[in-house]
């Protein structure tokens, strides 16, 4: 099965947005702006000085540099601050292209390759530049550039968990053994989230805003809740209801309305096709607007009548990828308030870099999923022509599996009691009160790493919005694993006895998340109730698949 990194690539989105003109514009400035050429000469002198040690080590430039030389060169480049504004990136890009050309004519292969590599670091779509360099550089020099690029990508993956989650959240991702399998007793391991400081019972460990969130299908269009932050709208008539919204969304504030519009709403559900860098003046004829409206209404019916919101969450996630890449291209500040790597890393990670490391459920497409995929692709095509290529069947099912494993049910207090139930429309979420009491679903970068326990050390709370609060149930020491309950662990009215309650709870976990729970409570019940383990015979055993970069990171630090 392909990994998420092979599937969800920001490069695909960037190509769709048509940013190939970036280099053309830079070249125009270089040729026509005398002030820019003056800055270019000044910058060349600065970079020449920083490359002096490398030039001395590779003066002959006749062979490929050693691993030690390449690693030293990359360390030097990583220590440099990258430009932040679009204008600064433009200058940095063109300066390093020109310097690379000059150094290559002097036979200085590694310094020249480093200059081209620096240019790639700020180019919106590096693979486009790779194709150009492949045709224009000597073979040996191109190999050095690609080696630098490969080593840098590997380094970013290897050190990811050194800087994420950010230290301010007081948690860390680690690996823990969970037994072994097979005759050779191959050890099994899984990711866990541990505290990095002590917490007392009742203390909040961390809070986190969601990547995406949405109301349950029966509440979409309701004036009771904000369509963006899921806040309860207490005053009747105080909500903001934009005209021509196919979902008839209500917002609690102009801030929430603006965030939704910037992240996904205008792109996918606005009345007219949006302007993009590739097409600043899109065709907005009456026929196109009507086709777009019909597709939106059809999708709204799919969500409301089908009762499942995962297609809407997927579209909102893709909309965020496009919006983030657009802002990155324009060097606009990303104001999504999501947890990111610590600034000290001087590294940047895309949305898919964060999501690819999360676990998922392997799901199979059926008739319902085929219809979901068809409608999602149609909406993407009508948003930006060609964007539908980003979402094929495999990519859709992978994203759906990520959401199915990691989404939390947003519940306020004990939860609602008026949610309609339909077996065909049922979607499981991590909800300690049960999804029947939730008002919506939310997907998180850090909280997704928290494992289940029937006797959890923490609980997920929502205090009026979709922002999650992870609160300690008992005292937690630094290094202790943080766990929550994915399901309602209390004995229910349909349970005849304690054995029945255990069976139903464990069946729900096995069906929803694909594992037979081995927590302390389950182990104690096995002994107390004198169970022989037969009730687990049909339950799948959890085998967590780790991202290869995480495995290398763990090998390095153990």
């Amino acid at each position: 099965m392909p990994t998420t990194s092979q599937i969800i690539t920001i490069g695909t989105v960037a190509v769709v947005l048509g940013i190939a003109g970036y280099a053309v514009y830079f070249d125009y400035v270089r040729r026509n702006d005398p002030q820019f050429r003056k800055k270019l000469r000044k910058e060349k002198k600065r970079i020449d000085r920083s490359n002096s040690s490398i030039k001395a080590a590779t003066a002959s430039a006749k062979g490929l540099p050693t691993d030690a030389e390449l690693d030293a060169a990359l360390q030097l480049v990583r220590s440099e601050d990258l430009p932040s504004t679009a204008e600064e990136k433009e200058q940095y890009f063109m300066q390093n292209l020109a310097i690379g050309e000059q150094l290559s004519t002097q036979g200085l292969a590694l310094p020249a390759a480093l200059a081209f590599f620096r240019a790639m670091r700020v180019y919106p779509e590096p693979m486009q530049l790779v194709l150009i360099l492949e045709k224009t550089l000597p073979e040996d020099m191109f190999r050095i550039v690609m080696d630098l690029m490969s080593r840098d990508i590997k380094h970013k993956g290897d050190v990811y968990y050194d800087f994420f989650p950010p230290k301010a959240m007081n948690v860390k991702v680690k690996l823990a053994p969970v037994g072994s399998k097979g005759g050779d007793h191959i050890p099994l391991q899984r990711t866990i989230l541990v505290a990095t400081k002590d917490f007392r019972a009742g203390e909040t460990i961390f809070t986190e805003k969601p990547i995406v969130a949405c109301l349950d299908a029966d509440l979409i269009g309701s004036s009771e809740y904000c369509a963006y932050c899921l806040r309860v709208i207490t005053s009747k008539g105080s909500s903001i209801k934009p005209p021509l919204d196919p979902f008839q969304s209500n917002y609690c504030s102009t801030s929430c309305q603006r965030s939704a519009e910037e992240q996904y709403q205008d792109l996918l559900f606005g009345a007219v096709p949006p302007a993009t860098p590739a097409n600043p003046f899109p065709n907005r004829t009456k026929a196109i607007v009507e086709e777009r409206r019909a597709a939106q209404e059809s999708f709204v019916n799919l969500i409301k009548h089908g009762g499942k919101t995962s297609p809407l969450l997927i579209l909102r996630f893709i909309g965020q990828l496009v919006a983030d890449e657009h802002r990155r291209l324009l060097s606009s500040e990303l104001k999504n308030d999501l947890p990111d790597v610590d600034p000290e890393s001087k590294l940047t990670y895309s949305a898919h870099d964060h999501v690819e490391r999360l676990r998922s459920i392997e799901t199979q497409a059926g008739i319902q999923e085929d219809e979901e995929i068809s409608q999602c692709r149609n909406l993407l095509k009508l948003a930006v022509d060609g964007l539908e290529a980003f979402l094929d069947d495999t990519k859709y099912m992978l994203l759906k599996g990520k959401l199915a494993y990691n989404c939390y049910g947003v519940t306020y207090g004990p939860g609602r009691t008026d949610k309609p139930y339909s077996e065909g429309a049922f979607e499981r979420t991590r909800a300690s009160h049960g999804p029947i009491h939730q008002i919506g679903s939310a997907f998180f970068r850090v909280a997704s790493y928290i494992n289940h326990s029937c006797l959890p050390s923490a609980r997920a709370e929502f205090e009026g919005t979709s922002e999650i609060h992870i609160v300690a149930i008992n005292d937690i020491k630094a290094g202790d694993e943080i766990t929550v309950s994915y399901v309602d662990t209390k004995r229910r009215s349909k349970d005849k006895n304690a054995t029945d309650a255990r069976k139903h709870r464990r069946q729900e976990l096995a069906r929803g998340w694909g594992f037979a729970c081995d927590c302390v409570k389950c182990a104690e019940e096995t002994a107390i109730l004198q169970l022989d383990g037969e009730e687990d015979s049909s339950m799948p055993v959890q085998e967590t698949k780790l991202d290869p970069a995480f495995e290398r990171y763990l090998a390095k630090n153990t």
Side-chain angles (χ1 to χ4, degrees), residues 161 172-180 186-194 357 359 405 448-454 481-484 486 509 513-520 541-547 550-551 554:
Y161 290 105
K172 187 174 182 64
V173 177
K174 292 183 65 177
L175 193 72
V178 289
S180 61
I186 301 171
L188 292 175
Q189 301 182 96
R190 67 179 176 186
T191 54
I192 64 173
L193 194 72
V194 301
R357 289 165 169 80
R359 283 166 291 188
Y405 197 100
S448 292
Y449 284 99
I450 302 178
N451 289 315
H452 165 83
S453 172
C454 299
E481 181 181 5
I482 297 167
T483 57
V484 298
Y486 290 2
L509 289 166
W513 291 270
F515 63 86
C517 186
D518 58 358
C519 73
V520 172
V541 177
Q542 181 181 14
E543 296 183 18
T544 303
K545 296 181 180 179
L546 296 179
D547 177 76
F550 188 27
E551 292 180 336
L554 292 163

Side-chain angles (χ1 to χ4, degrees), residues 303-376:
I303 300 299
K304 288 191 172 183
H305 295 160
K308 294 185 177 182
T309 58
S310 54
L312 179 57
L313 286 167
I314 288 171
L315 281 185
R316 287 183 174 180
F317 177 68
I318 294 174
Q320 283 197 22
L321 293 183
V322 175
D324 287 354
E325 198 60 30
H326 187 187
R327 285 194 292 264
R328 206 180 308 278
L329 171 63
L330 299 176
S331 297
S332 301
E333 186 179 354
L334 301 180
K335 297 180 179 179
N336 53 23
D337 296 323
L338 299 180
D340 209 339
V341 294
D342 283 316
E344 66 185 72
S345 69
K346 292 187 177 181
L347 297 171
T348 57
Y349 292 88
S350 65
H352 98 279
D353 287 326
H354 293 292
V355 171
E356 72 169 345
R357 289 165 169 80
L358 302 178
R359 283 166 291 188
S360 65
I361 297 172
E362 188 170 349
T363 55
Q364 301 297 322
I367 296 175
Q368 175 66 26
E369 285 74 22
D370 289 343
E371 179 63 21
E372 293 171 4
I373 294 167
S374 174
Q375 293 215 27
C376 284

Side-chain angles (χ1 to χ4, degrees), residues 407-411 427-438 440 460 462 484-490 492 508 513:
C407 271
Y408 282 78
V410 179
T411 305
E427 290 179 299
R428 284 185 175 83
T429 57
R430 301 180 183 185
S432 59
H433 294 290
I436 195 67
H437 297 296
Q438 71 181 42
F462 296 91
V484 298
S485 176
Y486 290 2
V487 300
D488 187 351
T489 58
K490 298 187 298 294
R492 288 162 262 192
E508 188 175 349
W513 291 270

Side-chain angles (χ1 to χ4, degrees), residues 23 93 97 115-123 125-137 142 145-146:
F93 176 83
L97 278 188
F116 290 123
F117 176 70
R118 285 187 177 99
M120 292 173 67
R121 294 182 80 202
V122 297
Y123 193 71
E125 179 41 55
M127 291 311 299
Q128 293 181 358
L129 190 56
V130 166
L131 295 175
I132 296 171
L133 294 178
E134 185 179 18
K135 297 177 181 178
T136 57
L137 293 182
F142 178 72
V145 173
M146 293 307 297

Side-chain angles (χ1 to χ4, degrees), residues 146-445:
M146 293 307 297
D147 200 349
L148 289 168
M149 187 176 181
S150 176
R151 287 168 185 263
D152 190 55
I153 292 172
K154 179 180 179 298
H155 170 76
K156 285 183 65 177
D158 289 347
V159 303
Y160 177 82
Y161 290 105
D162 288 343
F163 303 105
F164 187 86
K167 291 184 179 68
M169 295 187 75
N170 300 312
V171 292
K172 187 174 182 64
V173 177
K174 292 183 65 177
L175 193 72
V178 289
S180 61
K181 69 173 181 178
D184 296 330
H185 299 289
I186 301 171
L188 292 175
Q189 301 182 96
R190 67 179 176 186
T191 54
I192 64 173
L193 194 72
V194 301
T196 57
K197 59 173 282 189
D198 296 349
F199 291 95
R200 291 184 178 276
E203 281 191 297
T204 297
I205 302 170
F206 68 85
T207 63
E208 180 184 3
K209 291 188 177 179
I211 305 169
V212 287
C214 74
L215 292 165
D216 282 349
D218 67 301
L219 294 178
I220 290 176
S222 165
S223 60
E224 298 178 52
Y225 300 94
C226 176
Y228 182 74
C229 74
L230 313 194
R231 185 189 303 273
V232 176
I233 300 175
T234 55
S235 178
K236 190 174 182 180
S238 65
S239 64
I240 300 170
K241 190 170 185 177
L244 303 179
D245 185 319
F247 285 105
Q248 298 182 326
S249 303
N250 288 265
Y251 298 100
C252 66
S253 66
T254 54
S255 175
C256 280
Q257 179 189 2
R258 184 165 56 252
S259 294
E261 289 172 350
E262 289 176 353
Q263 292 177 23
Y264 50 78
Q265 193 70 15
D266 281 353
L267 177 73
L268 298 166
F269 302 110
V272 296
T276 67
N279 187 12
F281 304 104
N283 190 346
R284 293 171 174 171
T285 64
K286 182 180 178 181
I288 289 177
V289 171
E290 288 178 349
E291 182 183 8
R292 181 177 168 91
R293 184 68 180 183
Q296 292 168 348
E297 290 176 351
S298 177
F299 184 77
V300 171
N301 287 333
L302 174 75
I303 300 299
K304 288 191 172 183
H305 295 160
K308 294 185 177 182
T309 58
S310 54
L312 179 57
L313 286 167
I314 288 171
L315 281 185
R316 287 183 174 180
F317 177 68
I318 294 174
Q320 283 197 22
L321 293 183
V322 175
D324 287 354
E325 198 60 30
H326 187 187
R327 285 194 292 264
R328 206 180 308 278
L329 171 63
L330 299 176
S331 297
S332 301
E333 186 179 354
L334 301 180
K335 297 180 179 179
N336 53 23
D337 296 323
L338 299 180
D340 209 339
V341 294
D342 283 316
E344 66 185 72
S345 69
K346 292 187 177 181
L347 297 171
T348 57
Y349 292 88
S350 65
H352 98 279
D353 287 326
H354 293 292
V355 171
E356 72 169 345
R357 289 165 169 80
L358 302 178
R359 283 166 291 188
S360 65
I361 297 172
E362 188 170 349
T363 55
Q364 301 297 322
I367 296 175
Q368 175 66 26
E369 285 74 22
D370 289 343
E371 179 63 21
E372 293 171 4
I373 294 167
S374 174
Q375 293 215 27
C376 284
R377 284 172 54 85
N378 190 35
L379 273 175
L380 292 173
K381 182 179 186 304
L382 292 170
V384 179
D385 192 24
L387 187 57
E388 75 280 2
F390 176 74
L391 191 68
D392 61 19
D393 293 11
T394 304
K395 297 170 191 175
Y396 181 88
M397 295 308 297
L398 183 59
L399 279 173
K400 190 164 185 173
K402 294 277 186 186
L403 294 170
Y405 197 100
N406 297 292
C407 271
Y408 282 78
V410 179
T411 305
Y412 300 144
R416 61 191 292 212
T417 58
D418 60 347
K419 182 175 179 177
Y421 177 79
S422 170
E423 183 66 34
F426 185 71
E427 290 179 299
R428 284 185 175 83
T429 57
R430 301 180 183 185
S432 59
H433 294 290
I436 195 67
H437 297 296
Q438 71 181 42
I439 59 106
S441 304
F443 181 38
F444 300 90
R445 286 183 179 177

